[in-house]
Amino acid sequence: MTADLSRLLAALPPDMLPPGRPVSPEGGGPPGYWLSDESVTDLGLWARLRARHRESGLWPLLLTGLASDETRPWVAGEVWPAGMSAPDRHDPAQVLAAWWRDSTTTGEDDDPDAPGQATAPFGRTWPGLAAPGEPDEPADDCADGYAEFLVAGSTRLGLVPAARSADTLAVTGWSGPANHVGDAGQLSAVLRSWEERFGVRVVGVGFDTLQLSVAAPPTSIEHARRVAAEHFAFCPDNVWQGAGSLQAYAEQVVGAPSWWFWWD
């Protein structure tokens, strides 16, 4: 799943990166990503590295840690790449449908009526994948702009040997949504589909948060409801502990150039 990280890093111009180091998983195994020693302040560095991805094989990420312990997960290597499957083993439609069934079987706080209420108008019936969006701008340009927005005082730079942004979660062995799904390969499979349908790029990853740029978001409430259904399957907490209903959440994603996910 991964290329030799040291070889790929060595091919970059020597003055391109700030001080940093490859990070090995705490459970053992070769390093799955490179991490800057300090937070990044150069607003354009992410975009420059993203522009070299096709030749470098390294996808940049903006990485943040747990508020109570910023070493987790990225500095500490609290990741498990060996336990993640390859994204191409999974059909994203089937993965989302299974998550939808699991999340609508019982509601938040085990209220049997909560799923149907929260996911109206679909109730417990999986509506299937949403249609693709129409891009407002090239997906990589959208990602560059979002990365500049996300750079903050506690944001480190990561580089992941991945062929596409969606695969970075599986390659690093990220376990942020462990209470919802334990296999980042399934997450990456869905993200591949979102890359293709909505011009999504993975830009920021935290302890249990995920930040995506979106070049082709839904522009109508009808389309947004279908997208919201996928988001609910992917991350139910965005609805249960956020908007409160699929309809309210859909209103938030109409025309939104970025998507943010958080797992409890």
Side-chain angles (χ1 to χ4, degrees):
M1 187 181 295
T2 63
D4 181 73
L5 180 60
S6 297
R7 176 178 57 81
L8 297 179
L9 289 168
L12 289 175
D15 59 348
M16 191 170 194
L17 297 180
R21 63 184 176 90
V23 179
S24 297
E26 62 179 13
Y33 56 93
W34 176 94
L35 182 70
S36 65
D37 291 337
E38 305 291 341
S39 59
V40 292
T41 57
D42 182 345
L43 297 183
L45 178 57
W46 192 95
R48 295 195 297 275
L49 288 163
R50 194 278 311 155
R52 296 184 67 98
H53 169 253
R54 186 167 296 181
E55 59 184 279
S56 73
L58 295 166
W59 183 265
L61 294 176
L62 295 173
L63 303 175
T64 54
L66 186 64
S68 59
D69 183 356
E70 292 187 358
T71 69
R72 301 178 62 193
W74 305 111
V75 177
E78 191 179 337
V79 291
W80 293 271
M84 307 304 174
S85 62
D88 55 13
R89 289 178 51 190
H90 307 286
D91 180 285
Q94 293 178 1
V95 168
L96 287 168
W99 290 342
W100 176 274
R101 288 193 297 270
D102 291 344
S103 296
T104 57
T105 300
T106 57
E108 191 182 27
D109 300 326
D110 295 325
D111 178 355
D113 294 324
Q117 295 170 357
T119 58
F122 305 119
R124 291 180 171 85
T125 302
W126 167 240
L129 295 183
E134 293 293 333
D136 294 327
E137 61 178 319
D140 288 335
D141 291 351
C142 180
D144 292 346
Y146 189 44
E148 185 171 328
F149 171 78
L150 288 180
V151 169
S154 59
T155 306
R156 296 186 187 229
L157 174 68
L159 290 174
V160 183
R164 53 198 294 177
S165 78
D167 292 357
T168 55
L169 303 188
V171 171
T172 59
W174 183 60
S175 61
N179 292 336
H180 178 54
V181 58
D183 183 3
Q186 293 179 308
L187 296 170
S188 289
V190 172
L191 291 172
R192 284 183 174 189
S193 180
W194 288 354
E195 281 182 341
E196 294 161 1
R197 287 182 291 138
F198 306 111
V200 157
R201 297 291 184 268
V202 180
V203 179
V205 190
F207 180 79
D208 53 8
T209 58
L210 179 65
Q211 294 160 307
L212 312 176
S213 62
V214 189
T219 56
S220 70
I221 190 63
E222 293 79 10
H223 191 193
R225 287 193 195 102
R226 298 289 294 270
V227 173
E230 294 191 35
H231 285 200
F232 177 81
F234 188 78
C235 180
D237 289 327
N238 270 29
V239 174
W240 282 340
Q241 300 191 49
S245 71
L246 211 63
Q247 175 65 24
Y249 184 81
E251 293 171 1
Q252 295 176 5
V253 300
V254 173
S258 62
W259 293 343
W260 183 89
F261 299 93
W262 168 74
W263 291 265
D264 194 357

